Amino acid sequence: MSVSSLADLLASQLPNALAVRARTLIKTQAALDRSLPAALAGHVRVMQLENGVLRLACDSGAVASRLRHQTDALMASLGKNGIVATDVQVSVNPELLARYVHPVEKTGLPSAALDRLAHLNAEIEDGPLKDALDKLLRHHRGA
């Protein structure tokens, strides 16, 4: 489910003023993402836009420092995207960083399934399916 469809779903259940505010923040975040340099994209979140003051949170001090040096260019770019901001306030919120998730150990395909796939592979004609099965079997058997 996309962010905008989730926002629409939630907005249909929320009071109108809150729904309008949520849509405004989503629109502002989208405009911000288009306006940011590539190195900063994904590291900055819109926290609030009120009375022309745009409050942003960055996931690190380095990102916040770089963003503070580019606020004039950012405000101009946001203006071109329909967001009017007269001031930008930048804060650091390390919780925006994605948390480390320990990789899940995968067991792989059972040997009986691999044997059946190998049997099928031996019976079919050359072509893309046979190539894909060859690759799958090599991957799972470590050859």
Side-chain angles (χ1 to χ4, degrees), residues 45-63:
R45 296 285 179 268
V46 173
M47 302 307 287
Q48 186 177 27
L49 175 61
E50 196 169 298
N51 299 326
V53 178
L54 178 62
R55 289 182 178 82
L56 303 174
C58 301
D59 60 12
S60 71
V63 171

Side-chain angles (χ1 to χ4, degrees), residues 13-72:
Q13 305 297 320
L14 298 174
N16 190 39
L18 189 54
V20 169
R21 187 176 178 105
R23 283 191 186 101
T24 301
L25 287 175
I26 289 170
K27 177 184 168 195
T28 305
Q29 182 68 50
L32 176 69
D33 291 341
R34 287 189 303 273
S35 300
L36 285 172
L40 301 182
H43 298 280
V44 183
R45 296 285 179 268
V46 173
M47 302 307 287
Q48 186 177 27
L49 175 61
E50 196 169 298
N51 299 326
V53 178
L54 178 62
R55 289 182 178 82
L56 303 174
C58 301
D59 60 12
S60 71
V63 171
S65 178
R66 184 165 175 193
L67 188 60
R68 285 184 186 112
H69 290 287
Q70 299 178 359
T71 55
D72 291 336

Side-chain angles (χ1 to χ4, degrees), residues 93-102:
N93 184 352
E95 292 177 4
L96 293 177
L97 283 173
R99 300 191 193 287
Y100 174 76
V101 177
H102 188 72

